[in-house]
Amino acid sequence: MSIAGLKFLFSVKWKGKDLFDLVCRTLGLRETWFFGLQYNIKDTVAWLKMDKKVLDQEVPKEEPITLHFLAKFYPENAEEELVQDITQHLFFLQVKRKILEEEIHCPPEASVLLASYAVHAKYGDYDPSVHKPGFLAQEELLPKRVINLYQMTAEMWEERITACYVEHRGRTRDEAEMEYLKIAQDLDMYGVNYFLIRNKKGTDLLLGVDALGLHIYEPDNRLTPKCSFPWNEIRNISYSDKEFTIKPLDKKTNVFKFNSSRLRVNKLILQLCIGNHDLFMRRRRVDSLEVQQMKTQAREERARKQVERQRLEREKQLREEAERARDELERRLIQLQDEAHMANEALLRSEQTADLLAEKAQIAEEEAKLLAQKAAEAETEMQRIKVTAIRSQEERRLMEQKMLEVEMLALKMAEESERRAKEAEQLKQDLQEARESERRAKHKLLEITSKAVYTPPALPADSMPADLSFSRENLSFDFKDTDMKRLSMEIEKEKVEYMEKSKHLQEQLNELKTEIESLKLKERETPLDIIHNQNTEQGTNSFFSLLLLVAFL
């Protein structure tokens, strides 16, 4: 036997309950009252009866026998009634499939928001380095009716879904699935089973059975019921052959009778009526001990997960801080290495300049000595010429002229010697300045080298990301009875928070609707789309009525 993709072996003596319990134990499911085993029979469906043998029922006889493990009854408020994570996940998968297959009508703006929560439930928090454009190309996220209704490419739809997806950062998978269900449960066709019926006059109608009661619809309008019978206003439901009778609690109200097509459909309607009515009454009574224990365990598990998530977030934050500190140290080290390299180059240039100036000063000093020696030789020659002067006037004149030339030459040599001496003195000063620059460069290099030896600040014991042990305080949960006044205040606080969330949701949906409205193709609207738009304009749409009420408040 194949159930929900799993294969089971069972005894021919097993009853439906035996097989159902086996499936529930395999899935770890305790909230079994919502679910059942469904199978196809001719042109309709039926649910496996718990008190009869499996093979005595009208299940398909071919091997393997295929049954579908599905939600048979829906909660009025998913957040309050669904306790186990597995229960919530199964409802999320079933509701998502019904919306994508258009068994539940969903307006376009709500479809985009639901798709963003479905993406978050699958991929977790948005990461731009991982979730790059095109990562949703192979995902089925929107009903085909919505895609065909607008002149928008797949990239445009992905862009809008991703814009909503980014805002869900910080939620867990379970929280994203619950947000999905909270939005979906306000859709008009959520949790409604439809059956074709006829009234006394032979008019074709639709009967809707859901968690709140019975509803009568026009065949072409499954969104807005013509009339409704809440479970708390129904006194009795009975059928005889193909005729159904609904007796209201108020005896002044007329009894409603209708006919269905087949006896098998009548049995299915009665099963759904009994099951939904029982759950309706059960919700309004004090929870059983089993449910109370499940809710207590669920609260403890959520608290444990919250503490664990906070611990992981803290470790992640410390790891990121350590990585940032490491990157800063690496950046600082590179900067110091660059500064040291530049200082070394400056020192090398200073040493080369000092050597060059010292060489020039030595050459200038040698030239000055040579000029001084030549000047002394010229002076000696002049004295010798004066002592050995020629007697004749011509010789004296020539001698005087030569003496004059020698004096001029000596004067020039003296000037040149003085200039060379000044130049040598200037070169000595330049050499001294170069050596002083070299000394400063060495001093700066020493300072930079001393700065490069950096000792990182000691991190606290709880800031090490991986190899440190964390001390954990023991968590204890003490659930005590509180007085009615405190309970009322908490309920009032939850109402205010729910109103604020609903108001934000309404603004988000209106913004999405405004963004894509200009691309809408009116000629592709289905009759349900037109009815939905009319209901929205008239304020009768159940999906928006609660949100509008909250916004008004």
Side-chain angles (χ1 to χ4, degrees):
M1 174 174 290
S2 175
I3 301 176
L6 302 175
K7 292 186 177 181
F8 298 88
L9 296 176
F10 71 100
S11 171
V12 294
K13 297 181 180 180
W14 277 15
K15 294 183 179 181
K17 189 176 188 310
D18 298 325
L19 181 59
F20 180 75
D21 291 342
L22 175 62
V23 176
C24 292
R25 286 196 304 271
T26 304
L27 296 175
L29 181 69
R30 295 179 63 186
E31 296 173 277
T32 59
W33 48 86
F34 290 113
F35 298 90
L37 293 173
Q38 187 187 85
Y39 57 90
N40 297 321
I41 176 171
K42 295 184 179 179
D43 56 348
T44 184
V45 297
W47 296 89
L48 195 68
K49 296 180 178 63
M50 299 291 109
D51 56 347
K52 292 181 63 175
K53 291 183 178 181
V54 176
L55 297 181
D56 289 345
Q57 304 183 46
E58 298 178 308
V59 296
K61 302 306 179 183
E62 64 272 7
E63 294 291 340
I65 300 173
T66 301
L67 302 177
H68 304 283
F69 186 81
L70 297 172
K72 187 176 182 180
F73 307 106
Y74 287 75
E76 292 181 32
N77 188 317
E79 188 174 24
E80 293 181 1
E81 296 183 46
L82 302 184
V83 179
Q84 286 186 287
D85 292 339
I86 181 62
T87 311
Q88 173 184 301
H89 183 62
L90 291 174
F91 268 100
F92 165 75
L93 294 177
Q94 183 165 330
V95 173
K96 177 186 173 185
R97 180 183 60 81
K98 284 182 172 289
I99 290 176
L100 293 179
E101 293 178 359
E102 301 183 30
E103 294 181 27
I104 298 177
H105 179 269
C106 184
E109 60 274 12
S111 299
V112 173
L113 189 56
L114 289 174
S116 68
Y117 279 114
V119 172
H120 189 90
K122 181 174 182 178
Y123 292 99
D125 285 341
Y126 174 75
D127 186 351
S129 63
V130 177
H131 306 126
K132 298 180 180 180
F135 78 104
L136 298 179
Q138 304 301 321
E139 299 288 341
E140 184 181 5
L141 298 171
L142 298 172
K144 291 182 173 57
R145 172 186 57 83
V146 174
I147 296 175
N148 295 332
L149 192 58
Y150 294 88
Q151 291 179 317
M152 295 173 63
T153 62
E155 291 76 15
M156 296 170 69
W157 284 116
E158 179 178 324
E159 181 181 351
R160 280 163 172 78
I161 293 173
T162 304
C164 296
Y165 170 37
V166 173
E167 297 181 4
H168 307 329
R169 183 175 183 82
R171 298 180 187 270
T172 63
R173 188 198 77 168
D174 296 334
E175 291 172 345
E177 290 181 351
M178 179 53 69
E179 291 299 323
Y180 188 101
L181 292 175
K182 285 163 63 177
I183 297 173
Q185 71 185 3
D186 289 329
L187 299 175
D188 294 303
M189 295 174 64
Y190 170 85
V192 182
N193 292 282
Y194 295 94
F195 301 94
L196 184 63
I197 61 172
R198 288 183 179 180
N199 60 11
K200 290 182 180 180
K201 299 179 181 179
T203 304
D204 288 335
L205 297 170
L206 284 177
L207 173 68
V209 184
D210 66 3
L212 297 176
L214 300 176
H215 313 281
I216 308 301
Y217 299 86
E218 294 285 353
D220 57 350
N221 181 3
R222 299 191 176 201
L223 300 180
T224 309
K226 294 182 62 178
C227 62
S228 297
F229 300 93
W231 294 121
N232 59 343
E233 296 181 7
I234 297 177
R235 178 161 51 95
N236 184 34
I237 299 176
S238 61
Y239 79 93
S240 175
D241 195 13
K242 295 182 180 181
E243 184 178 74
F244 253 89
T245 303
I246 301 175
K247 294 181 180 180
L249 200 61
D250 186 1
K251 295 183 179 181
K252 296 181 180 179
T253 305
N254 294 330
V255 175
F256 183 79
K257 294 184 179 182
F258 61 87
N259 296 319
S260 62
S261 57
R262 293 184 301 276
L263 180 61
R264 185 180 293 110
V265 175
N266 289 343
K267 292 180 179 180
L268 179 57
I269 293 174
L270 187 62
Q271 283 182 21
L272 294 174
C273 289
I274 294 173
N276 277 296
H277 181 269
D278 289 345
L279 286 177
F280 181 86
M281 300 305 296
R282 179 177 179 174
R283 294 184 191 104
R284 283 146 184 83
R285 291 195 296 264
V286 178
D287 290 335
S288 65
L289 183 60
E290 180 187 5
V291 175
Q292 291 179 16
Q293 291 176 347
M294 289 172 57
K295 288 185 176 180
T296 300
Q297 292 174 359
R299 283 194 296 268
E300 292 175 353
E301 181 65 16
R302 290 193 184 100
R304 185 190 64 77
K305 287 183 179 180
Q306 180 67 19
V307 171
E308 182 69 13
R309 187 169 60 177
Q310 290 175 355
R311 184 183 68 80
L312 292 176
E313 287 292 331
R314 176 61 179 166
E315 290 181 0
K316 181 180 178 182
Q317 181 180 0
L318 292 175
R319 187 177 295 108
E320 291 176 350
E321 290 176 357
E323 289 176 353
R324 285 196 295 270
R326 183 198 62 192
D327 294 341
E328 177 63 23
L329 290 176
E330 291 178 352
R331 186 192 64 80
R332 181 60 181 163
L333 177 61
I334 293 174
Q335 182 180 357
L336 291 174
Q337 289 175 346
D338 292 341
E339 291 180 0
H341 181 68
M342 294 174 62
N344 281 327
E345 290 182 348
L347 176 61
L348 181 62
R349 286 195 300 270
S350 298
E351 291 175 349
Q352 292 174 351
T353 303
D355 293 342
L356 182 61
L357 290 175
E359 185 179 353
K360 286 185 177 181
Q362 184 178 359
I363 293 173
E365 187 176 356
E366 291 176 355
E367 288 179 351
K369 289 180 179 180
L370 182 60
L371 289 173
Q373 183 179 356
K374 287 182 178 181
E377 292 176 355
E379 183 67 23
T380 302
E381 180 68 17
M382 185 184 66
Q383 293 296 332
R384 187 183 65 78
I385 291 173
K386 285 182 179 181
V387 172
T388 60
I390 304 175
R391 293 189 200 89
S392 64
Q393 189 68 29
E394 183 63 26
E395 290 177 347
R396 188 178 289 111
R397 185 181 65 80
L398 292 174
M399 186 65 67
E400 288 176 354
Q401 183 178 359
K402 191 173 182 179
M403 288 176 63
L404 181 62
E405 292 175 356
V406 171
E407 288 177 354
M408 292 294 294
L409 180 60
L411 181 62
K412 287 182 180 180
M413 288 184 176
E415 291 176 353
E416 182 67 17
S417 176
E418 184 178 359
R419 186 182 67 79
R420 290 289 184 175
K422 289 181 180 180
E423 184 177 350
E425 185 66 26
Q426 181 64 38
L427 290 173
K428 288 181 179 181
Q429 293 178 2
D430 292 344
L431 175 61
Q432 185 176 3
E433 291 177 357
R435 288 175 177 170
E436 180 64 24
S437 175
E438 177 183 355
R439 185 187 65 79
R440 288 196 301 271
K442 289 181 178 180
H443 181 67
K444 183 175 180 182
L445 177 61
L446 182 59
E447 291 179 346
I448 293 173
T449 308
S450 62
K451 289 181 183 178
V453 182
Y454 178 76
T455 304
L459 293 175
D462 61 350
S463 66
M464 298 304 291
D467 301 329
L468 295 184
S469 61
F470 295 89
S471 61
R472 304 178 182 174
E473 296 179 358
N474 291 328
L475 299 176
S476 62
F477 299 91
D478 188 10
F479 298 95
K480 297 181 179 180
D481 294 332
T482 57
D483 56 9
M484 293 303 294
K485 182 176 180 180
R486 180 179 176 185
L487 182 58
S488 299
M489 292 174 66
E490 292 178 356
I491 293 174
E492 195 65 24
K493 181 180 178 180
E494 292 178 359
K495 287 183 178 179
V496 172
E497 293 176 354
Y498 180 72
M499 290 178 180
E500 292 177 353
K501 292 180 180 178
S502 299
K503 185 175 180 181
H504 173 72
L505 178 60
Q506 173 64 20
E507 293 174 353
Q508 193 174 12
L509 290 174
N510 288 337
E511 183 179 354
L512 284 172
K513 184 175 182 180
T514 303
E515 289 180 359
I516 63 177
E517 190 64 28
S518 60
L519 301 172
K520 189 173 185 180
L521 298 173
K522 294 288 186 180
E523 64 273 11
R524 294 186 182 178
E525 286 187 330
T526 63
L528 291 180
D529 289 325
I530 298 173
I531 295 170
H532 172 76
N533 294 335
Q534 293 174 351
N535 291 343
T536 302
E537 294 174 358
Q538 297 172 4
T540 59
N541 191 303
S542 64
F543 177 65
F544 292 104
S545 58
L546 179 59
L547 301 179
L548 292 174
L549 176 59
V550 172
F552 176 75
L553 293 174

